[in-house]
Amino acid sequence: MKRAAFGSAKFRAIGIYSLIAVVVILGISLVFIYRATVMPNPASGPGASAPPEASAPAGTNPSVSRGTYQRVPNQVLFALDADGKPNISGDLTNIKQGDVGDCYFLAALLTVAAREPDTIQNMVHDNGDGTYTISFHSKYDGVPNPVQVTVNGDLPYRRGKTVENGIENIGGKNVSWAAIIEKGWAAANGNSYKGIEGTDLSNAQDHDVHNGLYAITGKAGVDRNPGGPMTQVSFEQVQQDFANGLVTLGTSNSDGRLVSDHSYAVLDVNASDQTVVVGNPEGGQETLSFDTFRSTNINQYIAIPTYP
């Protein structure tokens, strides 16, 4: 009997202590829940901000297909020369077209960067906070109406590589001015990379190349021989246009020496052997004899005769 009575008392004591422990734990939990619910959140109070790594810098991110935005490691806007000044014409291989069909714009950008790099330097500004402000003389519609947009430095990536215009690694830095300007162009046109696709008007008229050049320079181009081929354009005319201004080309949808339905920048004109060097916004250059230049599938020769 004593043994049985002793066991019952023991179990009652264990039960009481367990109940007390549960009550204490429950009380502590309620205190923490109350504090989290009632006390002000420092991250959302006046003057407070989230940690820098919590989100990307402010600035527009245009919608993009088949890609996600990522930070660019060791990103810089421009490479610098020995004097610490932006070196734009020396790193043109960072103009490398991606998924979107904006060859007309990137060819115009390549044309201007090769001939008048100061225009590129002046149209994009590093705000020093991870954002960039880009100025255009018009949107894609070509109507004179200056537009300014601000984007952050994140770029669309897929499988560890940029989806749209590329970047170039120079001296351990990822030079991104061309990709940032293209991102700004998308932001200015419907805030979407789809909004800067070239149109079918390219085969009928010089809508695309004209508008790309105007947006960057504010100057209206002249089509020396609408519809091509370039039989009405002399070598002397090409030489003069290149020496004094800018020339961007468009090709028809017919097969030829150059990629069809595409745009190119004129990068050099050599009088000694009468050749023309054209730059492809997808990457690379090609030297054409003038006879080939005139007989290939170029159907748009858009010149800004004097620039700047």
Side-chain angles (χ1 to χ4, degrees):
M1 293 287 298
K2 287 183 179 178
R3 184 182 294 271
F6 174 78
S8 298
K10 180 179 180 181
F11 288 128
R12 280 198 301 273
I14 293 174
I16 292 170
Y17 291 140
S18 298
L19 181 60
I20 292 172
V22 169
V23 170
V24 171
I25 293 172
L26 182 60
I28 294 172
S29 299
L30 288 173
V31 169
F32 278 107
I33 291 172
Y34 174 80
R35 287 171 61 89
T37 305
V38 176
M39 293 184 68
N41 182 358
S44 61
S49 60
E53 63 273 8
S55 61
T60 297
N61 270 344
S63 62
V64 63
S65 301
R66 297 181 296 171
T68 57
Y69 280 95
Q70 296 181 24
R71 297 283 183 92
V72 179
N74 300 317
Q75 184 181 39
V76 295
L77 190 59
F78 299 118
L80 303 179
D81 62 19
D83 296 324
K85 296 180 180 179
N87 180 12
I88 297 169
S89 57
D91 55 30
L92 292 180
T93 55
N94 66 9
I95 295 180
K96 190 170 179 61
Q97 184 181 353
D99 282 2
V100 70
D102 64 340
C103 59
Y104 69 94
F105 179 77
L106 294 179
L109 193 67
L110 180 59
T111 300
V112 178
R115 302 293 293 151
E116 291 294 335
D118 285 352
T119 296
I120 304 300
Q121 183 180 344
N122 293 333
M123 72 183 293
V124 56
H125 176 70
D126 186 342
N127 298 319
D129 60 357
T131 68
Y132 304 88
T133 298
I134 308 101
S135 300
F136 301 102
H137 292 277
S138 72
K139 297 184 180 181
Y140 184 38
D141 55 16
V143 177
N145 182 21
V147 59
Q148 194 173 78
V149 294
T150 297
V151 300
N152 63 46
D154 295 0
L155 294 176
Y157 276 79
R158 185 171 65 244
R159 300 189 188 94
K161 295 182 179 181
T162 52
V163 177
E164 302 305 344
N165 189 80
I167 52 180
E168 184 182 11
N169 188 280
I170 300 176
K173 302 291 185 180
N174 286 315
V175 179
S176 59
W177 61 265
I180 292 297
I181 291 174
E182 182 193 49
K183 183 178 179 180
W185 184 235
N189 290 278
N191 202 28
S192 168
Y193 278 90
K194 186 176 180 180
I196 59 174
E197 286 274 358
T199 72
D200 291 337
L201 291 174
S202 300
N203 283 322
Q205 55 183 299
D206 47 36
H207 170 82
D208 291 334
V209 176
H210 252 311
N211 289 351
L213 276 172
Y214 186 85
I216 297 168
T217 66
K219 302 286 186 180
V222 176
D223 194 342
R224 295 291 189 200
N225 191 28
M230 296 295 103
T231 52
Q232 301 302 311
V233 180
S234 67
F235 181 80
E236 289 72 25
Q237 182 69 72
V238 177
Q239 191 176 24
Q240 178 180 324
D241 288 338
F242 180 77
N244 299 324
L246 309 169
V247 182
T248 305
L249 311 170
T251 62
S252 68
N253 57 8
S254 60
D255 292 334
R257 175 68 176 266
L258 301 177
V259 176
S260 62
D261 289 322
H262 200 41
S263 299
Y264 290 82
V266 172
L267 300 180
D268 196 15
V269 177
N270 193 329
S272 63
D273 58 1
Q274 292 207 342
T275 56
V276 179
V277 179
V278 296
N280 187 342
E282 291 181 338
Q285 302 177 7
E286 187 168 357
T287 300
L288 306 175
S289 70
F290 188 65
D291 287 342
T292 301
F293 178 84
R294 292 208 299 178
S295 63
T296 191
N297 53 337
I298 297 170
N299 71 336
Q300 298 165 20
Y301 174 103
I302 315 301
I304 297 178
T306 58
Y307 188 83

